[in-house]
Every structure is written in structure tokens, then in C-alpha cells.
Amino acid sequence: MNINGDATKANTYDAIVIGSGISGGWAAKELCEKGLKTLVLERGRDVKHIVDYPTATLNPWEFKHRNRMPEAFDKENPIATKCYALDEGTEQFFVKDAEHPYVQEKPFDWIRGYQVGGKSLIWARQTQRWSKFDFEANARDGAAVDWPIRYEDIAPWYSHVEKFVGISGNKDGLETLPDGEFLKPWELNCVEKHIQKRVAESYKDRHVIIGRCAHLTEPKQIHYDQGRAQCQARHLCYRGCPYGGYFSSNSSTIPWAAKTGKLTLRPDSVVHSIIYDDVKKKATGVRVIDTHTKQMTEYYARIIFVNAACLNTNLVLLNSTSRRFPNGLGNDSGVLGRYVAFHNYRGNIVADYEGFEDGYYYGRRPTTAFMPNFRNVNKQETDFQRGYMVAFSAARGGWSRGAGQEGFGADFKDKLSDPGAWHVFMMMQAETVPRYENHVRLSTDRKDPWGIPQLVTAIDYTDNDVKVMKDFLEQGADMLEKSGCKNINPYDDHRNPGLDIHEMGGVRMGRDPKTSLLNAHNQLHSVKNVFVTDGAAMTSTGSQNPSITFMALTARAANFAVSEMKKRNL
């Protein structure tokens, strides 16, 4: 066998990061800043900040279909088209159903964004820290396994990430939702403030706050240094923000890593598997298939960060087999792909509010009112496990309510410009308890266009999830009634798991290698030079939006990895 040593050397790096989304971008930033020659692999196309946001400044009438997707697209993409953020202005950032097939053993809507930046271009940007109650929940009620870390372990890394990202929010002083490093908050409007007041008067354990979100309301020098500017309150974020007003890998961490001169970014690179050396007893690199040519190439590094987003990270590890790991890399416990969980969004409530006709609001605020979880916090007090966050917003009907009405002239135009009545929308974001039965695995007979086994999703709701939803519908309706709302209509939208786009688990952290995959530093227990820091690493889901936790875990793990490399432990 002839070995081309020069070619191997050219493909060798200090670190490889699989994925360029929210967590992958952070891994690249931290590793490059510490001087590591880092290769970032992205299975999708390259998307450069500003240059590749073709619809960012278009008006509705400049779209061929007035920013709606044609009926033919919806028929061809019954999964992707369900996503609230997909329209004619954003569809270029979403994976179409036929592009990466998977097997739904149970209905699961897998929403994906394959490009440099991943779903950081199209995320909802809500950022709440976990509290001590969330990291202790499994130990308290006996579900799943105990987290190997506590809030105190990650709190400094939340601060580290928040300062760089730019998080808008209030110092609310709530034990259930710790404060962070905040920029100026957005404001609740008059009806939301009224509901906030009534809830505070009616309940001692329920607190309405303005949402915390990754938007630059008052940029600091660190944000200007990134080339970012103030959020313009356009709410066109999902098209890519040319101002960098919201955080994305494209506007922030990837360019920051590139400035070090240590970053190599390789788009159009589908990771087939991680290479494990039975003699060295560690991972030595990754196998990559070119998206277009289907040619396979191997890249090598001392450490590997797997940040492909939860389900794809599970897929990569499951497909990384060897004599030592016949059932997937690091899978001595047999739980790889198991205990996948998500957020339950099924409960919704709509209502009307009569009054405040003289009140309105400015701009398109990128967040809503939130209420941290108030169920089963200090002790088990209901017939279901865990709880839920509540999000709600109030708004007035606009000019479109006059569409189809008869009339002409100035009086008709004036009527169309008058705001309508106030309406309230309320939704739940509930924690689901990780279960062994909820899992993903590789298909034994179906492959994707790159010859990799398709992922099988076997994930479903439980009776506990239905109980949680019913409690929200009852409690939410009660809160709105006490706030003076009328025509209150609670409903179950019966959405499939996955449409929350908050899938977590499958490569969970834990204290015991017999029941988990990762240790307290996000290392595979049995392959210390492989780290997983995206949603796959989560041991439970909490009720908060998870992205800020992914970022903090990634920064923490990357700095630990560099420290271990300096000690020659990796």
C-alpha cells in the first residue's frame, strides 16, 4: 500500500468541528482564539454574511408570489412547509423534504437548515438561562439520569457567551430564570402590561417578563468589533440580517474565528463517520463525502467536536462503527440514540381584549412576554412531571382586516389605516421527560443520496405530555379571564414532535458511563478526544429555549479541551 504522507499532512488539523450552526460556530471561535488550526465541516453550501441574503431588503410586492409559497411547493414539502419561518423570503435556508430523506416510524417533523450558519440564520432567537431547578430535576424526580453538572458550573460560561452574543433583557431577579449579562430590554405593550399586572395581583408564583432575546438593542464595542449594528425592529430576521442586529454564526462567530487565520471552512462536506483507531484507542479524524461529486476524503485532528445539530449528531455517531464500537462510537452503554426529547408546543389559546383603543406600539418587536415555569419547581405538586413556560403577545388588527370591503376614496383609505381591536395569543413551551423508547436509529435498508443509512425517528408524546398541555390550557385560560380577556379559546393544535425544532438528547451527559455517553466536560466517556456540545448532549430539556445553553456548554468544553491538550492529556 502506498501512503501519500504529504496529502495526509495537508489534511491534518489540530481540531475538527462538524457543523457550523450555533454550537459549531462557538466551537470554531473558541478553538481558533486559543491558537488551534481548526477545520469546520458543513454539509450545506457556503452562506456569507450580507452577500448571501438575497431577500433581506425586499418588499412584499417584489416577491413573485407576494412572499407566499406556491401550492406546488407545499405539496412537495409537507414537512418543511409546516415551519412558521418558511416563506418565499426564507425558503433558500431550509432543507426541502426530498433533499435528505429519513424514515418516520412515528410522525416526526424534522426541520433542517443545511448551509454555513445552519439554523442560526432562521432561529427564533429567544435566550433564557437554565436555573438550578432544571439541572437538578432528574435527580429530584428520578427521571432519566442525573446531570453531571449544576448551574454553578455553567453560570460563568453563560456570562461569557451573553456578552459576545448580545442579549436583550431585564434583570428580573427570578430564581427560576436567572439573570444574565443584558442589553436594554424591549418593552411590553399596554395590554401586555395590563395582563402582567393582573397576573401579579392574582398569583404569587407567576411572573410575566419581557422576553430575553439575542438582539442588539444597544450594541457594545465587542459587537461593533464583530461588524454588527443595532437591531432595526424589522422582524425580517429569518431572511438573514444585513445589520447583524441578531446573533448568527454568519455575522459573529465564524468571521471572528476566520480573523485569527486559524480557520479552514469547508462547505458541501457531508460527514460520513468519525475514524477510530483501535491501536491508539482514540478518534483520529473524519470521513467526508463531497455533497456534489460524492468523492470521499479523510481529515485528521487531535480533537473532534460534533455539532451537527441533535439528530444529525446522533446519525454521525451511530454510523461511526469499528471493531471496538460496533454499535456506534462511544456506545458502550447502549443508549446512543435513546432518550431523545423535545419541547411540547401543542397547547395554544387565543382571546380578545376590549379596551386600550388609544394605545398602540412601535416597530416589530423580536420577542414576546414570557412567564417562567411555575409547576413542580420546589416540589412535586401535580399529577404530571415537570412543567412549562408560557409565552404570549397582544396585538391589534391591521389594515388587512379591510380586504374585500366595499368602498373607495379618502374615507375608505382612512378606515383601512385605523387599527382594529386587541387580540391575545398565548402558547406553551413544555418540558418533555426523556424516555428510552423515544429514539433514533439507522435504517437497515434505506440510504440517503450519499450512501449513508437514513435516520429512523421513533419519537412520540406520552400521557404526561397530554396532562401538561391540559394544565396549561386550563391555567392559561384562567389567567386571561382574570386579566379581563373575552372570547377565550384554548385549543390543541395536534402538531407532530419535531416541529418545535428543539430536539435534544441521544448522546446525553451523565455521571455513569454505563447509562450515558458524555461526561461533565462533554467528552465521550470512552473516546476522550471527541466532544459533543449541541442539543444531542442534553440530559433533559428544561422548559426554556435551549440555544444559549448549547453555546455555553460549547464554550466551556472547548476551553477544557484546549487545557487538556496543553497538558498532553489529549
Side-chain angles (χ1 to χ4, degrees), residues 45 74 95 97 108 116 141 292 310 388 401 413 463 493:
R45 65 190 176 93
D74 292 346
V95 173
D97 290 5
F108 187 90
V116 170
D141 64 20
H292 305 294
C310 178
Y388 49 86
R401 64 193 172 86
K413 293 177 181 178
D463 290 341
D493 67 12

Side-chain angles (χ1 to χ4, degrees), residues 86-136:
L86 193 156
D87 56 32
E88 201 171 10
T90 64
E91 60 93 13
Q92 67 272 15
F93 297 139
F94 287 85
V95 173
K96 312 311 181 289
D97 290 5
E99 291 175 350
H100 187 199
Y102 64 103
V103 181
Q104 298 182 66
E105 187 169 279
K106 295 180 180 179
F108 187 90
D109 295 329
W110 190 9
I111 307 299
R112 293 153 288 173
Y114 293 164
Q115 61 263 328
V116 170
K119 293 195 295 293
S120 77
L121 286 170
I122 51 177
W123 67 310
R125 308 166 308 284
Q126 304 308 300
T127 48
Q128 307 107 14
R129 290 189 181 199
W130 277 34
S131 73
K132 66 178 184 180
F133 302 106
D134 301 295
F135 288 103
E136 297 167 4

Side-chain angles (χ1 to χ4, degrees), residues 62 86 90 92 119 125 147 168 189 211 236 244 269 275 290 292 301 307 335 354 387 390 395 410 429 484 518 559:
E62 296 179 276
L86 193 156
T90 64
Q92 67 272 15
K119 293 195 295 293
R125 308 166 308 284
W147 277 84
S168 164
N189 62 41
L236 300 178
S269 301
I275 304 165
D290 185 280
H292 305 294
N307 300 91
V335 298
E354 298 173 358
V390 175
Q429 183 170 283
L518 305 172
N559 281 268

Side-chain angles (χ1 to χ4, degrees), residues 11-213:
N11 286 357
T12 299
Y13 299 82
D14 297 318
I16 293 174
V17 178
I18 301 172
S20 64
I22 276 179
S23 63
W26 264 96
K29 170 193 174 294
E30 296 294 314
L31 296 171
C32 287
E33 275 187 324
K34 297 298 185 295
L36 270 62
K37 182 183 175 185
T38 303
L39 172 66
V40 173
L41 298 168
E42 167 56 52
R43 68 179 296 150
R45 65 190 176 93
D46 193 10
V47 171
K48 290 183 171 59
H49 180 50
I50 304 177
V51 175
D52 293 320
Y53 306 155
T55 63
T57 59
L58 296 184
N59 293 302
W61 55 87
E62 296 179 276
F63 290 95
K64 182 178 180 180
H65 303 100
R66 300 300 184 263
N67 208 25
R68 295 184 180 183
M69 298 309 297
E71 184 178 358
F73 179 93
D74 292 346
K75 288 182 178 179
E76 293 172 0
N77 297 277
I79 297 169
T81 199
K82 292 179 184 178
C83 182
Y84 64 92
L86 193 156
D87 56 32
E88 201 171 10
T90 64
E91 60 93 13
Q92 67 272 15
F93 297 139
F94 287 85
V95 173
K96 312 311 181 289
D97 290 5
E99 291 175 350
H100 187 199
Y102 64 103
V103 181
Q104 298 182 66
E105 187 169 279
K106 295 180 180 179
F108 187 90
D109 295 329
W110 190 9
I111 307 299
R112 293 153 288 173
Y114 293 164
Q115 61 263 328
V116 170
K119 293 195 295 293
S120 77
L121 286 170
I122 51 177
W123 67 310
R125 308 166 308 284
Q126 304 308 300
T127 48
Q128 307 107 14
R129 290 189 181 199
W130 277 34
S131 73
K132 66 178 184 180
F133 302 106
D134 301 295
F135 288 103
E136 297 167 4
N138 288 354
R140 186 170 64 247
D141 64 20
V145 297
D146 187 19
W147 277 84
I149 61 172
R150 291 293 186 262
Y151 176 73
E152 292 74 20
D153 297 309
I154 196 173
W157 297 101
Y158 276 133
S159 294
H160 175 73
V161 164
E162 288 163 346
K163 291 174 183 177
F164 192 82
V165 168
I167 306 297
S168 164
N170 264 324
K171 297 278 188 179
D172 298 299
L174 302 176
E175 193 176 25
T176 51
L177 204 68
D179 291 329
E181 311 293 336
F182 296 145
L183 306 176
K184 183 179 73 172
W186 297 90
E187 287 190 44
L188 299 172
N189 62 41
C190 55
V191 171
E192 293 163 347
K193 288 179 180 177
H194 170 76
I195 296 174
Q196 180 189 49
K197 182 173 181 292
R198 287 294 181 87
V199 168
E201 293 170 349
S202 302
Y203 309 91
K204 293 182 179 180
D205 61 344
R206 306 184 191 188
H207 308 277
V208 175
I209 66 172
I210 185 64
R212 302 165 181 180
C213 56

Side-chain angles (χ1 to χ4, degrees), residues 212-227:
R212 302 165 181 180
C213 56
H215 284 258
L216 300 181
T217 49
E218 287 184 337
K220 304 297 184 183
Q221 188 60 49
I222 186 62
H223 307 123
Y224 290 127
D225 291 345
Q226 296 170 45

Side-chain angles (χ1 to χ4, degrees), residues 188-189 191-196 199 207-210 349 365 367-371 390-394 424-428 479-480 483:
L188 299 172
N189 62 41
V191 171
E192 293 163 347
K193 288 179 180 177
H194 170 76
I195 296 174
Q196 180 189 49
V199 168
H207 308 277
V208 175
I209 66 172
I210 185 64
I349 308 173
R365 188 186 63 197
T367 189
T368 67
F370 274 86
M371 183 186 303
V390 175
F392 72 89
S393 59
V424 178
F425 173 73
M426 180 177 281
M427 59 176 284
M428 67 184 289
M479 288 186 281
L480 292 176
S483 300

Side-chain angles (χ1 to χ4, degrees), residues 523 559-570:
Q523 293 171 289
N559 281 268
F560 172 80
V562 173
S563 174
E564 290 294 285
M565 290 177 74
K566 290 180 178 178
K567 298 175 185 176
R568 297 193 176 277
N569 292 333
L570 291 177

